[in-house]
Amino acid sequence: LLSIGLLYKRKIVEHLGFGFSVAYSISRYRVEQKQGKLFPGSLKYQKEMIKFSSIDMNLYFRMNYGLRGDYIGKYMDIGWGYDHFFTDEYITLYTINNLENEHIISGLDFFEKGYTNVFLKAGFNRYVFFVSYRLNPLIKSNNYPYDFPLWLAGFELGLF
């Protein structure tokens, strides 16, 4: 996941605030190449990926801890978000007669146009650790017995 965006925070009282953020994100998922795979098809490739570009919008409440001043300090955010996909790509890489081929298909119809999530962030100045949980499926059809991972955990770096 690669993301760049803007964040706004408003103080309610000394150690409590709320805010929102908007970001542009690119997510890329690798499809495991194993016997009997069904999604998005049964063919096996050298590499197979699904890539999403999205606009992410989040609302959150913030609890601040410790000393504060002209820097962000220590905080905990809890919030809700919506990620809207405006492009999706199915990418396959394979070799035929010693020639490497890349095939990209855009605008696939078996994905939802977005999803909602809840998240928790722990911030230490410019370093943030986060975990989020997706509340609805990404794949439209019930023909597949699985979906993309519901949990996402990671690290953010603030450039301020």
Side-chain angles (χ1 to χ4, degrees):
L1 174 70
L2 177 64
S3 183
I4 187 165
L6 300 171
L7 180 126
Y8 174 78
K9 181 188 75 79
R10 183 78 179 161
K11 183 169 81 170
I12 299 172
V13 293
E14 182 63 27
H15 294 287
L16 185 62
F18 69 94
F20 66 89
S21 65
V22 177
Y24 168 76
S25 297
I26 298 173
S27 305
R28 186 177 275 204
Y29 296 91
R30 286 208 167 154
V31 179
E32 191 175 14
Q33 302 299 302
K34 62 181 180 179
Q35 193 67 16
K37 83 175 185 78
L38 299 174
F39 179 80
S42 59
L43 294 176
K44 292 192 332 185
Y45 299 95
Q46 286 173 300
K47 289 185 182 176
E48 189 173 20
M49 294 172 272
I50 307 287
K51 180 178 143 185
F52 298 105
S53 298
S54 65
I55 295 292
D56 309 340
M57 298 158 280
N58 297 303
L59 298 171
Y60 64 91
F61 285 99
R62 175 169 289 182
M63 294 166 282
N64 295 298
Y65 302 99
L67 297 175
R68 296 179 45 204
D70 291 336
Y71 61 94
I72 290 194
K74 297 175 189 164
Y75 62 90
M76 183 77 67
D77 289 348
I78 185 166
W80 172 88
Y82 177 74
D83 296 3
H84 179 76
F85 302 130
F86 55 90
T87 63
D88 55 61
E89 294 179 339
Y90 171 58
I91 304 165
T92 56
L93 302 170
Y94 54 93
T95 302
I96 298 176
N97 296 330
N98 294 326
L99 295 173
E100 289 190 10
N101 295 284
E102 179 180 68
H103 191 211
I104 300 173
I105 301 173
S106 297
L108 301 173
D109 192 37
F110 50 76
F111 293 114
E112 296 290 348
K113 289 298 177 192
Y115 67 90
T116 57
N117 65 70
V118 291
F119 62 87
L120 183 67
K121 294 182 178 184
F124 307 93
N125 297 323
R126 66 189 321 190
Y127 307 105
V128 181
F129 299 96
F130 71 90
V131 62
S132 73
Y133 180 77
R134 185 167 39 87
L135 299 173
N136 56 318
L138 286 181
I139 300 174
K140 288 181 183 177
S141 174
N142 293 333
N143 296 335
Y144 300 108
Y146 50 85
D147 196 3
F148 288 87
L150 294 173
W151 290 95
L152 177 66
F155 174 77
E156 294 178 357
L157 178 65
L159 303 175
F160 42 79

